[in-house]
Amino acid sequence: MFMHIYKYRLRCLARDREMVFWTLIFPLILATMFHFAFDQLMGRQEAFRPIRTAVVASDAYRQNVAFRQALDALSGPGEGQLIELTVTDDREARRLLADGAVAGVITVGDPIGLTVSQSGIEQSILKAVLDEYAHRYATVTGILEEHPADPGGLLWELGQMRSYTQQISFSSAEPDTTLNFFYALIAMTCLYGGFLGLRNTTDVQADLSPQGARRSVAPTHKLGVVLYDSAAALTISLAEVTVLLAYLMLALRVNFGNQVWYVLLTSLAGCIAGVSLGAFIGTFVRKSENAKTGILIGTTMTMSFLAGLMIDTMKHTIARKAPVLSYINPAALITDAFYSLYVFASHRRFFLNIGLLLLISGAMCTLSFLRLRRDRYASL
Amino acid sequence: MLVRVQNLVKRYGNLLALDHFSMEVGEGEILGLLGPNGSGKTTTINCILSLLEYDKGVIEVFGKAMAPDAYESKRNIGVVMQNVAVFQELRVDENIDYFCGMYVSDAKARRRLVDKAIDFVGLGEFRTFYPKKLSGGLLRRLNIACGIAHEPKLIFLDEPTVAVDPQSRNKILEGIRDLNRQGATVVYTSHYMEEVEQLCTRIVIMDKGKTLAMGTKDELKAMINDGDTVTVELYALQPDHVANIRQLPHVTRAEYADNRLAVHFDGGQHNLLTLLDYLKSRDLSFGRVFSEQPTLNDVFLEITGRQLRD
């Protein structure tokens, strides 16, 4: 009996085109839109062109070998090129500055001068570079005067740029600020499994559909029918989330780290929560089919919004200002489970999220079934 | 008795839908539940099927109290709902197989039953169609096939011919007679008195949740059949002639409207000759002459004072 009801339920749900659109195609479209939006944003941020700079070819410049070498290093072609240098006379340098062809004019003297025609990021970078050079020059000169014994080792040490903090990722993933959007999208897709749960409750209740009436007069235990239908809904929902994950990872190259099984476990728990939410709304909301669908969409979108689907800082704002919401919002629990996989070495927080998700799902399922199991209806 | 309903009371809020309603269905019968819309026919069926709560009464099916978990009784019941109850995402053969499979677990036996049901309702060439591709009549036939594919002993058909074209209607009615010939007991609800007259071996007339009359077609008509009605086409009959006709022997009613004279006789013999002699004697020329038997509508009219299709 299980296979018979399960098989046909799978066909019913998988062939419902409108449902497949909302539960699979729509998240895929959103994922694609997110991808292109973030790609453009990151592209703009990362584009950097060397700062066009003029230096006055004076005698002081020609004699200051150390400074010339420093400028050569900064203007050498390659990934680290910071400035695009033009060595010219004072008049030409000022003309270039006036025409906006260079961001600044460097005049070597004591001190080294920088002439700019306006303030901006490029000018600030040039100033920072010259300040750094002047600072190091003064330091080295001072040390040499006070400790002439071992100048070689000291100068080598000064030449090193050291970082005293180290970035470690436990999931082998590169840090990515856009990931929270994708987590929220997966959470939304899991919760859209609610459409399947909602359809199930409609098709099993005699007072909501003729199909429900026909199934109610059959010699099959209602709990069995509800469980078999739910198994089919869960299968479809999980398959859809898996397709979304595969699309994100393989086509859009979103990096979820190396804990794929945990990602799938989160998706399974999310799908259980989604199907349960749909069943809960379908059972307890005594409104029309359209009204129930509207309530389900509104609920899942609100949950996803609070989990950071539209604003990436929302999740943290809620966690700070109304922490209880983070523990009862299935979308927040799903995104936090992904987040904890990505960030923490321990799985403690991950399993806390999964446990809470299953607890909430269990509560919704139990209440729904207690309502669904009633024997007879007051009216049809 | 396959079905016994005693003193059934069902209220929807303040509305009394079934008022101490009783009926019985014997094995091998086609019982017609006849009544106008809102008379309580569907409510009765839904109470018998344990879909609806009821306030009072006793319902037994196959000699046992009917309940939602009376699976043994349910296994032998087939239901054809008033509303088409099929899944739009399943093809014709899949729909029948799905509902049949809720009664019959053996896949091989089920294949045979599904093929038989498809042949029975004449959907052979549509078996791979989805319901939305079927006409209203074909959809009704699919609805019937889904209800009877598991070959139940007791079948409830709730207005199965509503909004169906004449060809499909005849096919459905023939099918029901076939099912009955094959041994199924049928409970058939309708507000189409012609269907019930044609099909049913016994009839329960109900209104406002009460049994008004019960019996075979002839028994019901005999309740009011204390004579014949003769109708004569006449052009311009004066009221004094109508008054004179009312004075003829055994005449209980005489009415003239729309160039038709309807005269009801209370027993007696040669009533038609008496009437025609009167018309000839007054040189009243007449057209066609009809002699009518009472219909179930007349029975309903006699009992309630209202037309059945009010």
PDB file of all heavy atoms in Angstrom, chain B residues 108-122:
ATOM      1  N   LYS B 108      -1.609  -7.459 -10.144  1.00  0.00           N
ATOM      2  CA  LYS B 108      -2.087  -8.179 -11.330  1.00  0.00           C
ATOM      3  C   LYS B 108      -3.621  -8.117 -11.400  1.00  0.00           C
ATOM      4  O   LYS B 108      -4.208  -7.833 -12.451  1.00  0.00           O
ATOM      5  CB  LYS B 108      -1.606  -9.636 -11.249  1.00  0.00           C
ATOM      6  CG  LYS B 108      -1.631 -10.352 -12.567  1.00  0.00           C
ATOM      7  CD  LYS B 108      -1.014 -11.731 -12.409  1.00  0.00           C
ATOM      8  CE  LYS B 108      -1.398 -12.596 -13.589  1.00  0.00           C
ATOM      9  NZ  LYS B 108      -1.022 -13.998 -13.372  1.00  0.00           N
ATOM     10  N   ALA B 109      -4.236  -8.370 -10.250  1.00  0.00           N
ATOM     11  CA  ALA B 109      -5.707  -8.322 -10.195  1.00  0.00           C
ATOM     12  C   ALA B 109      -6.182  -6.904 -10.516  1.00  0.00           C
ATOM     13  O   ALA B 109      -7.203  -6.711 -11.203  1.00  0.00           O
ATOM     14  CB  ALA B 109      -6.181  -8.740  -8.807  1.00  0.00           C
ATOM     15  N   ARG B 110      -5.404  -5.948 -10.056  1.00  0.00           N
ATOM     16  CA  ARG B 110      -5.798  -4.549 -10.257  1.00  0.00           C
ATOM     17  C   ARG B 110      -5.743  -4.166 -11.735  1.00  0.00           C
ATOM     18  O   ARG B 110      -6.610  -3.452 -12.228  1.00  0.00           O
ATOM     19  CB  ARG B 110      -4.881  -3.655  -9.436  1.00  0.00           C
ATOM     20  CG  ARG B 110      -5.531  -2.364  -9.009  1.00  0.00           C
ATOM     21  CD  ARG B 110      -4.788  -1.687  -7.922  1.00  0.00           C
ATOM     22  NE  ARG B 110      -3.455  -1.304  -8.321  1.00  0.00           N
ATOM     23  CZ  ARG B 110      -2.366  -1.596  -7.631  1.00  0.00           C
ATOM     24  NH1 ARG B 110      -2.456  -2.305  -6.521  1.00  0.00           N
ATOM     25  NH2 ARG B 110      -1.190  -1.209  -8.050  1.00  0.00           N
ATOM     26  N   ARG B 111      -4.735  -4.660 -12.429  1.00  0.00           N
ATOM     27  CA  ARG B 111      -4.635  -4.352 -13.866  1.00  0.00           C
ATOM     28  C   ARG B 111      -5.878  -4.835 -14.603  1.00  0.00           C
ATOM     29  O   ARG B 111      -6.425  -4.150 -15.457  1.00  0.00           O
ATOM     30  CB  ARG B 111      -3.384  -5.021 -14.466  1.00  0.00           C
ATOM     31  CG  ARG B 111      -2.164  -4.095 -14.476  1.00  0.00           C
ATOM     32  CD  ARG B 111      -1.085  -4.596 -15.412  1.00  0.00           C
ATOM     33  NE  ARG B 111      -0.542  -5.885 -15.014  1.00  0.00           N
ATOM     34  CZ  ARG B 111       0.398  -6.032 -14.076  1.00  0.00           C
ATOM     35  NH1 ARG B 111       0.886  -4.980 -13.457  1.00  0.00           N
ATOM     36  NH2 ARG B 111       0.851  -7.225 -13.764  1.00  0.00           N
ATOM     37  N   ARG B 112      -6.325  -6.039 -14.237  1.00  0.00           N
ATOM     38  CA  ARG B 112      -7.515  -6.597 -14.878  1.00  0.00           C
ATOM     39  C   ARG B 112      -8.748  -5.736 -14.554  1.00  0.00           C
ATOM     40  O   ARG B 112      -9.545  -5.413 -15.443  1.00  0.00           O
ATOM     41  CB  ARG B 112      -7.732  -8.036 -14.370  1.00  0.00           C
ATOM     42  CG  ARG B 112      -8.901  -8.765 -15.008  1.00  0.00           C
ATOM     43  CD  ARG B 112      -9.129 -10.117 -14.336  1.00  0.00           C
ATOM     44  NE  ARG B 112      -9.463 -10.021 -12.928  1.00  0.00           N
ATOM     45  CZ  ARG B 112     -10.663  -9.702 -12.446  1.00  0.00           C
ATOM     46  NH1 ARG B 112     -11.648  -9.436 -13.283  1.00  0.00           N
ATOM     47  NH2 ARG B 112     -10.896  -9.627 -11.152  1.00  0.00           N
ATOM     48  N   LEU B 113      -8.848  -5.336 -13.281  1.00  0.00           N
ATOM     49  CA  LEU B 113     -10.007  -4.534 -12.860  1.00  0.00           C
ATOM     50  C   LEU B 113     -10.004  -3.166 -13.554  1.00  0.00           C
ATOM     51  O   LEU B 113     -11.062  -2.657 -13.944  1.00  0.00           O
ATOM     52  CB  LEU B 113      -9.985  -4.352 -11.340  1.00  0.00           C
ATOM     53  CG  LEU B 113     -10.280  -5.611 -10.511  1.00  0.00           C
ATOM     54  CD1 LEU B 113      -9.990  -5.360  -9.040  1.00  0.00           C
ATOM     55  CD2 LEU B 113     -11.732  -6.046 -10.686  1.00  0.00           C
ATOM     56  N   VAL B 114      -8.816  -2.581 -13.683  1.00  0.00           N
ATOM     57  CA  VAL B 114      -8.721  -1.255 -14.322  1.00  0.00           C
ATOM     58  C   VAL B 114      -9.144  -1.362 -15.787  1.00  0.00           C
ATOM     59  O   VAL B 114      -9.940  -0.544 -16.282  1.00  0.00           O
ATOM     60  CB  VAL B 114      -7.286  -0.686 -14.196  1.00  0.00           C
ATOM     61  CG1 VAL B 114      -7.105   0.562 -15.059  1.00  0.00           C
ATOM     62  CG2 VAL B 114      -6.976  -0.347 -12.745  1.00  0.00           C
ATOM     63  N   ASP B 115      -8.641  -2.378 -16.476  1.00  0.00           N
ATOM     64  CA  ASP B 115      -9.014  -2.570 -17.890  1.00  0.00           C
ATOM     65  C   ASP B 115     -10.529  -2.754 -18.018  1.00  0.00           C
ATOM     66  O   ASP B 115     -11.166  -2.205 -18.921  1.00  0.00           O
ATOM     67  CB  ASP B 115      -8.291  -3.792 -18.470  1.00  0.00           C
ATOM     68  CG  ASP B 115      -6.803  -3.517 -18.667  1.00  0.00           C
ATOM     69  OD1 ASP B 115      -6.420  -2.325 -18.664  1.00  0.00           O
ATOM     70  OD2 ASP B 115      -6.021  -4.479 -18.803  1.00  0.00           O
ATOM     71  N   LYS B 116     -11.065  -3.535 -17.095  1.00  0.00           N
ATOM     72  CA  LYS B 116     -12.515  -3.816 -17.132  1.00  0.00           C
ATOM     73  C   LYS B 116     -13.326  -2.532 -16.910  1.00  0.00           C
ATOM     74  O   LYS B 116     -14.305  -2.278 -17.614  1.00  0.00           O
ATOM     75  CB  LYS B 116     -12.841  -4.842 -16.041  1.00  0.00           C
ATOM     76  CG  LYS B 116     -14.186  -5.521 -16.203  1.00  0.00           C
ATOM     77  CD  LYS B 116     -14.316  -6.642 -15.178  1.00  0.00           C
ATOM     78  CE  LYS B 116     -15.771  -7.109 -15.151  1.00  0.00           C
ATOM     79  NZ  LYS B 116     -16.017  -8.035 -14.049  1.00  0.00           N
ATOM     80  N   ALA B 117     -12.857  -1.729 -15.939  1.00  0.00           N
ATOM     81  CA  ALA B 117     -13.579  -0.473 -15.640  1.00  0.00           C
ATOM     82  C   ALA B 117     -13.504   0.483 -16.828  1.00  0.00           C
ATOM     83  O   ALA B 117     -14.479   1.171 -17.155  1.00  0.00           O
ATOM     84  CB  ALA B 117     -12.990   0.169 -14.388  1.00  0.00           C
ATOM     85  N   ILE B 118     -12.339   0.528 -17.483  1.00  0.00           N
ATOM     86  CA  ILE B 118     -12.180   1.422 -18.634  1.00  0.00           C
ATOM     87  C   ILE B 118     -13.117   0.983 -19.769  1.00  0.00           C
ATOM     88  O   ILE B 118     -13.787   1.825 -20.384  1.00  0.00           O
ATOM     89  CB  ILE B 118     -10.693   1.451 -19.090  1.00  0.00           C
ATOM     90  CG1 ILE B 118      -9.865   2.237 -18.078  1.00  0.00           C
ATOM     91  CG2 ILE B 118     -10.556   2.075 -20.472  1.00  0.00           C
ATOM     92  CD1 ILE B 118      -8.370   2.231 -18.343  1.00  0.00           C
ATOM     93  N   ASP B 119     -13.187  -0.317 -20.002  1.00  0.00           N
ATOM     94  CA  ASP B 119     -14.122  -0.825 -21.022  1.00  0.00           C
ATOM     95  C   ASP B 119     -15.562  -0.508 -20.629  1.00  0.00           C
ATOM     96  O   ASP B 119     -16.370  -0.112 -21.461  1.00  0.00           O
ATOM     97  CB  ASP B 119     -13.975  -2.352 -21.162  1.00  0.00           C
ATOM     98  CG  ASP B 119     -12.725  -2.706 -21.941  1.00  0.00           C
ATOM     99  OD1 ASP B 119     -12.156  -1.801 -22.585  1.00  0.00           O
ATOM    100  OD2 ASP B 119     -12.314  -3.885 -21.888  1.00  0.00           O
ATOM    101  N   PHE B 120     -15.839  -0.701 -19.355  1.00  0.00           N
ATOM    102  CA  PHE B 120     -17.206  -0.534 -18.859  1.00  0.00           C
ATOM    103  C   PHE B 120     -17.745   0.877 -19.105  1.00  0.00           C
ATOM    104  O   PHE B 120     -18.896   1.050 -19.501  1.00  0.00           O
ATOM    105  CB  PHE B 120     -17.222  -0.863 -17.359  1.00  0.00           C
ATOM    106  CG  PHE B 120     -18.573  -0.781 -16.731  1.00  0.00           C
ATOM    107  CD1 PHE B 120     -19.504  -1.785 -16.926  1.00  0.00           C
ATOM    108  CD2 PHE B 120     -18.929   0.308 -15.957  1.00  0.00           C
ATOM    109  CE1 PHE B 120     -20.758  -1.702 -16.351  1.00  0.00           C
ATOM    110  CE2 PHE B 120     -20.174   0.402 -15.388  1.00  0.00           C
ATOM    111  CZ  PHE B 120     -21.101  -0.613 -15.583  1.00  0.00           C
ATOM    112  N   VAL B 121     -16.899   1.879 -18.887  1.00  0.00           N
ATOM    113  CA  VAL B 121     -17.373   3.256 -19.072  1.00  0.00           C
ATOM    114  C   VAL B 121     -17.037   3.793 -20.469  1.00  0.00           C
ATOM    115  O   VAL B 121     -17.307   4.955 -20.777  1.00  0.00           O
ATOM    116  CB  VAL B 121     -16.804   4.217 -17.990  1.00  0.00           C
ATOM    117  CG1 VAL B 121     -17.328   3.874 -16.616  1.00  0.00           C
ATOM    118  CG2 VAL B 121     -15.283   4.208 -17.996  1.00  0.00           C
ATOM    119  N   GLY B 122     -16.437   2.945 -21.301  1.00  0.00           N
ATOM    120  CA  GLY B 122     -16.164   3.337 -22.689  1.00  0.00           C
ATOM    121  C   GLY B 122     -15.087   4.410 -22.821  1.00  0.00           C
ATOM    122  O   GLY B 122     -15.214   5.331 -23.627  1.00  0.00           O
TER     123      GLY B 122
END
